[in-house]
């Protein structure tokens, strides 16, 4: 490897690391301070990145926040896949529900929630957030189908998967205000019994 090549590789690695710090700092700020309290200045300070470097990669707060939520959602999905590898065959449905529900009590979900709420009254932000929210919704639905090992064209499978995602999203909203761990476990136990009975296996 030549010195120039090594320098470019090192610079590329530094840039990726810097972008990752910015995105993680953005999510942390959204969770702790909300949309209004998350500013590009706050994020750059938390990430230990100069304002100039930040603005070079993300010229606006909107660009930074959307990129952060998208990137960390992708990373969260990869984590979900790793957890799914250890699912037992016995009581698999309950295990799947636990994995899905965990996505909606994560910092990434709470950060995204701040973004969705802000987009409701901000037309410009909504133009960026809408496609991202729809993509995440489609991917989460498809992954739930994969985890459950079902053919969603059979019986009421599609509707049951959508109801499952609506349920865990609602549980996530409840958890944004208080620790709802015990009640969430009870609800998931009950819903697992419904799915065991109603899903049409492939």
């Amino acid at each position: 490897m030549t010195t120039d090549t090594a320098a470019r590789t090192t610079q590329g690695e530094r840039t990726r690391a810097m972008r990752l710090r910015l995105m993680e700092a953005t999510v942390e700020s959204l969770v702790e301070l909300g949309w209004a309290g998350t500013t590009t200045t706050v994020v750059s300070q938390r990430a230990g990145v100069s304002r100039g470097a930040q603005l070079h990669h993300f010229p606006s707060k909107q660009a930074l926040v959307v990129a952060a939520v998208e990137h960390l959602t992708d990373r969260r999905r990869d984590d979900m896949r790793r957890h799914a590898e250890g699912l037992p065959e016995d009581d698999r449905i309950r295990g799947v529900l636990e994995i899905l529900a965990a996505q909606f009590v994560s910092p990434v979900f709470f950060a995204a929630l701040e973004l969705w709420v802000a987009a409701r009254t901000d037309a410009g932000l909504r133009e960026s957030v809408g496609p991202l929210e729809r993509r995440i919704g489609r991917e989460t639905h498809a992954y739930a189908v994969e985890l459950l090992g079902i053919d969603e064209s059979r019986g009421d499978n599609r509707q049951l998967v959508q109801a499952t995602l609506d349920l865990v999203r609602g549980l996530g909203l409840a958890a944004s205000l208080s620790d709802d761990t015990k009640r969430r476990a009870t609800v998931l136990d009950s819903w697992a019994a419904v799915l065991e009975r109603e899903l049409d296996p492939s």
Side-chain angles (χ1 to χ4, degrees), residues 151-171:
D151 178 347
E152 69 172 336
S153 68
R154 295 172 64 99
D156 294 328
N157 285 356
R158 181 175 179 79
Q159 293 90 326
L160 288 166
V161 169
Q162 192 56 55
T164 298
L165 296 177
D166 290 343
L167 173 68
V168 293
R169 186 180 294 108
L171 292 172

Side-chain angles (χ1 to χ4, degrees), residues 129-196:
V129 168
L132 172 60
E133 191 277 335
R134 288 190 291 273
R135 179 178 72 79
I136 292 172
R138 287 193 302 269
E139 290 179 355
T140 304
H141 183 99
Y143 194 52
V145 169
E146 179 184 335
L147 283 175
L148 290 166
I150 59 172
D151 178 347
E152 69 172 336
S153 68
R154 295 172 64 99
D156 294 328
N157 285 356
R158 181 175 179 79
Q159 293 90 326
L160 288 166
V161 169
Q162 192 56 55
T164 298
L165 296 177
D166 290 343
L167 173 68
V168 293
R169 186 180 294 108
L171 292 172
L173 288 172
S176 70
L177 298 175
S178 62
D179 184 357
D180 210 31
T181 305
K182 187 173 181 180
R183 187 176 73 88
R184 183 167 63 250
T186 300
V187 171
L188 293 179
D189 286 343
S190 298
W191 188 244
V194 172
L195 293 181
E196 291 279 5

